[in-house]
Amino acid sequence: MIVDCALYRDGKRVEVGTDWRELRAKADADGGFVWIGLHDPSPDEVHEVAEVFGLHPLAVEDAVKAHQRPKLERFDGTIFVILKTLWYVDENDAVETGEIAMFVGGDFVVTVRHGEGNELHSAREALEASQSMLGHGPGGVLYAVLDRVVDEYLDVVDELVVDVDEIETSVFSDDRTNDSARIYVLKRELAEVRRAVLPLRDPLLRLTSRDVPVVPEEATPFFRDVADHLARAAETVDSLDGLLSTAFDAYLAQVSVQQNDDMRKISAGAALVVVPTLIAGVYGMNFRHMPELGWTYGYPYALTLMAVVAAGLWVMFKRSGWL
């Protein structure tokens, strides 16, 4: 499905129709460039666009299949970029992923987007409002898309910071909570974010080192800014992963302490029952020669002995913190 298609010249959108084949021909004729955006296209649609723009078949195959690792590859005068998109679903405390494949040539940009998140229409509108950035040509479009995707990374990471803070508060609270399942889920979400963020560092490094022909030299500072944002996201992800590991260890320690407290209380309670039972057992043996059996106060004495011993044990356990 083709979402949008436009011809750009001198940093402005040229209103000359939306037929992308005609726009491609006009771009060749007057020196502008075409940006065509596709969302969840069929293989036939992608191959049709690839034939007109002369895209490499291996890159086209990756764009059709999706589920690729973030990367940057060069094919003659065209570069092919894969980006993982992320967005946070607050209702489920989950991170969802999508993908954007970009073909960037000297006079065209083709974006193939998979998934529901990170729409590029607003990025296109923001870029069209900045004539200076759009004047950099396809390199400016590449920057705008990268900047939008990495900004979404930071938004997702900020949401995960809140989740990790909640986990830490829960683990160290006095309430008995079962945090192990949520910690495991958050670890998996962080792993998903890491798979999107970390592999993108090398492509951005190449974009800032003037190794890519479609990126003009004056545009490299913008890509360095995106690389800085990406580094911040990566550092935060590593920090959150370490905090979650520490929180899980603390949770296990808390569970162990709680179990020890429970065992002490159970042991103290058992002692309060066992000692009177022992006394009752002694006087329940019914031997013939037991001095207290013929004593008028033998029965009250036995009961009083049980109560005094139990009360003494209760006071001792209370002072020691077992009860």
Side-chain angles (χ1 to χ4, degrees), residues 154 157 197-198 201 229-239:
L154 292 174
V157 168
V197 173
L198 298 189
R201 291 186 294 188
H229 292 173
L230 185 71
R232 181 155 63 91
E235 290 171 359
T236 306
V237 169
D238 289 338
S239 175

Side-chain angles (χ1 to χ4, degrees), residues 107-135:
D107 58 356
F108 69 87
V109 178
V110 177
T111 55
V112 182
R113 185 166 64 90
H114 298 275
E116 297 300 324
N118 295 92
E119 51 80 26
L120 296 180
H121 180 68
S122 58
R124 186 189 288 261
E125 289 182 338
L127 190 61
E128 291 174 355
S130 175
Q131 184 175 353
S132 59
M133 181 57 63
L134 197 56

Side-chain angles (χ1 to χ4, degrees), residues 207-277:
L207 289 171
T208 58
S209 62
R210 305 174 188 174
D211 184 42
V212 181
V214 299
V215 177
E217 181 177 344
E218 59 271 18
T220 53
F222 297 99
F223 289 99
R224 282 199 296 268
D225 181 66
V226 177
D228 289 340
H229 292 173
L230 185 71
R232 181 155 63 91
E235 290 171 359
T236 306
V237 169
D238 289 338
S239 175
L240 291 178
D241 189 63
L243 287 174
L244 279 179
S245 297
T246 303
F248 186 69
D249 292 339
Y251 169 74
L252 294 179
Q254 289 280 80
V255 170
S256 178
V257 169
Q258 290 170 357
Q259 288 177 342
N260 289 337
D261 288 340
D262 292 341
M263 289 303 299
R264 288 191 300 179
K265 291 178 180 179
I266 292 172
S267 299
L272 293 176
V273 175
V274 166
V275 173
T277 302

